[in-house]
Amino acid sequence: MSDSCPVCEAEFLENFFSIKQVPVIINILSNTREEALGRPRGDIDLGFCGNCGHIYNTSFDLSLLDYSGEYDNALHFSSTFRDFASQLVDTIVNVRHWKGSNLLEVGCGKASFLQALCKRGGNSGIGYDPSIEDQDWTPVGPAGGKIKLVRGYFGKEDVSVPGDKIICQHVLEHIEAPADFLQDIIASRKNSLAHSAYFEVPNVLYSLRDFGVWDIIYEHCSYFSPTSLAFLFNRFGYAVDSCEEVYGNQFLSLHAEFGAEKRHLEASDLGELTKLVSDFSQTFKEKSRDWRTSLEPALSGEKKVVVWGAGSKGITFLNMMTDGKGIDYIIDQNPAKIGKFVAGSGQEIQTPEFLVEYRPDMVIVMNPLYKDEIAHKLAGMGLTPEVVVA
Ligand SMILES: [Zn+2]
């Protein structure tokens, strides 16, 4: 990866945090423990740009990533996430007035969000994603909404594709050159330059401030702060309406207009971010030490410990903290993951119901937002383990 900042092109970057030899893809699970342990690995060396407040992995090597395989990072098995997505659809339709419009989603995944926007707002929506099947226009809902899906990547040559409302969720952090990506979207709209955009990415402030260290994964080359995300959009001519921390501060949610008069933005204060960056390495060492102490009873076989949530956070936690020892199972509610193994550290994924027989002494919950939901489910199965948030 280039040494200059991918958002503002500033040359000077401060490397402040490294984790060596982590599995490069964690959202593709393995069918055997051996396959999981042998997954390709790479280094994470985070650099901080003091000009725009962006953070990225200066050792990122795209050639290590091979996304063929069953990539699964769906979050909708959690009711907490479903509630968030549903409220967001309401806000976009009723507060932002995206009704009867032409929507275009870049990287739509299984398109459930796009579908909800079309259904509730009577919108027409086209979604692009390399992992979906083509689908011609299909009506959704009584309000006149319809949806079309295209298997593949959206590009600057797609000028005839309608869409003056652009949606892009949890894509930009995977893109090695986010500036080019945004410029391509603008170029594709050359027939009607004015458009609105809704972008969502993980919030690096959460990773730094609330110790969301388990969100630091190789698949993400970029880590946006509110300042760097707004900077990127301003740089290419968008007027940024809002750039807010949402979902328990874990995501950044940006609304911007292209072709509108630019708003005057307050000069960004990078003070908090700079301090968080300089403290992070020390905080990480202290937290890692505390976790290793907490996990000693599991390592010595005195206690049975499981992790709940075989997503990015859970898999990163197991890789950073266990070296594959002490914890044998990770729990997940997604049926497609059951019986598979975690990349790098090799734990087996099991159902919540598996715990009735296994009877764990401790359940480590990876996301504080899901703690109540999980504790409730455990109680419903007659289990009373200690429930702690990582
Ligand atoms: Zn920068």
Side-chain angles (χ1 to χ4, degrees):
M1 194 158 183
S2 144
D3 284 341
S4 59
C5 173
V7 166
C8 75
E9 293 182 2
E11 292 290 332
F12 179 75
L13 290 158
E14 181 196 347
N15 265 295
F16 69 97
F17 179 71
S18 295
I19 335 169
K20 300 297 180 187
Q21 292 301 294
V22 294
V24 295
I25 296 191
I26 55 177
N27 287 310
I28 293 178
L29 299 164
S30 300
N31 292 316
T32 66
R33 195 180 307 274
E34 291 66 34
E35 185 188 319
L37 295 173
R39 284 275 178 197
R41 292 169 189 262
D43 295 340
I44 296 176
D45 293 295
L46 295 185
F48 173 58
C49 174
N51 184 50
C52 73
H54 194 57
I55 288 169
Y56 67 98
N57 178 7
T58 56
S59 294
F60 182 76
D61 178 358
L62 186 63
S63 71
L64 291 176
L65 292 174
D66 172 9
Y67 282 111
S68 60
E70 187 72 9
Y71 191 86
D72 193 344
N73 65 349
L75 297 172
H76 62 267
F77 289 94
S78 159
S79 61
T80 310
F81 182 78
R82 284 197 303 269
D83 290 347
F84 165 74
S86 177
Q87 276 171 22
L88 182 58
V89 168
D90 272 347
T91 304
I92 290 177
V93 169
N94 296 318
V95 180
R96 297 276 164 184
H97 306 293
W98 289 22
K99 291 179 185 169
S101 303
N102 289 314
L103 315 187
L104 166 62
E105 182 162 19
V106 182
C108 64
K110 298 192 170 30
S112 52
F113 189 72
L114 184 63
Q115 192 148 13
L117 281 173
C118 291
K119 193 173 176 180
R120 277 194 244 170
N123 296 300
S124 297
I126 300 185
Y128 278 75
D129 201 289
S131 72
I132 47 164
E133 296 305 320
D134 286 316
Q135 177 193 302
D136 208 352
W137 288 110
T138 307
V140 281
K146 55 181 181 166
I147 191 168
K148 175 180 171 173
L149 302 177
V150 182
R151 183 185 178 96
Y153 294 98
F154 181 78
K156 61 183 172 197
E157 65 284 358
D158 292 317
V159 286
S160 59
V161 174
D164 58 358
K165 306 273 191 289
I166 314 286
I167 306 149
C168 185
Q169 296 173 298
H170 299 264
V171 170
L172 212 50
E173 67 272 23
H174 295 264
I175 306 286
E176 200 174 11
D180 293 349
F181 180 82
L182 200 54
Q183 282 179 294
D184 282 357
I185 287 180
I186 295 166
S188 80
R189 302 298 88 202
K190 71 178 182 188
N191 291 341
S192 56
L193 269 175
H195 61 262
S196 310
Y198 176 74
F199 273 64
E200 195 179 285
V201 291
N203 176 19
V204 78
L205 273 184
Y206 174 78
S207 305
L208 298 169
R209 185 178 54 205
D210 301 313
F211 201 65
V213 63
W214 322 119
D215 294 318
I216 295 172
I217 61 173
Y218 196 89
E219 288 157 59
H220 295 172
C221 37
S222 264
Y223 296 83
F224 286 90
S225 64
T227 6
S228 70
L229 188 62
F231 190 106
L232 180 67
F233 280 77
N234 276 308
R235 185 181 158 198
F236 294 109
Y238 284 87
V240 175
D241 279 336
S242 64
C243 182
E244 292 169 345
E245 300 180 56
V246 296
Y247 200 53
N249 301 331
Q250 295 178 27
F251 303 159
L252 292 175
S253 163
L254 174 136
H255 288 276
E257 305 276 337
F258 191 91
E261 197 179 320
K262 274 202 166 185
R263 280 64 155 172
H264 172 73
L265 280 185
E266 296 291 320
S268 318
D269 177 13
L270 291 178
E272 185 201 1
L273 187 56
T274 308
K275 172 139 184 21
L276 288 169
V277 163
S278 70
D279 290 348
F280 185 73
S281 196
Q282 187 58 33
T283 316
F284 178 74
K285 276 184 201 141
E286 289 164 10
K287 292 278 183 180
S288 305
R289 200 184 49 221
D290 291 351
W291 266 111
R292 292 217 163 83
T293 308
S294 306
L295 292 174
E296 265 168 25
L299 277 169
S300 62
E302 278 172 50
K303 281 190 176 176
K304 286 194 275 190
V305 177
V306 297
V307 167
W308 188 304
S312 301
K313 292 173 200 279
I315 295 172
T316 302
F317 176 85
L318 288 170
N319 271 283
M320 284 191 197
M321 293 298 144
T322 69
D323 300 328
K325 299 181 192 77
I327 298 179
D328 294 332
Y329 297 101
I330 181 166
I331 304 304
D332 206 276
Q333 306 195 73
N334 178 350
K337 295 184 176 181
I338 307 307
K340 306 229 169 181
F341 295 84
V342 168
S345 56
Q347 285 82 6
E348 185 179 348
I349 303 170
Q350 271 295 354
T351 59
E353 291 69 31
F354 165 82
L355 297 177
V356 173
E357 195 160 319
Y358 188 66
R359 307 204 79 77
D361 300 293
M362 185 197 281
V363 174
I364 301 172
V365 174
M366 292 315 303
N367 192 327
L369 293 178
Y370 303 161
K371 187 182 179 189
D372 290 347
E373 185 184 335
I374 291 168
H376 186 73
K377 184 141 186 145
L378 287 164
M381 295 189 295
L383 298 171
T384 52
E386 186 184 357
V387 178
V388 290
V389 176

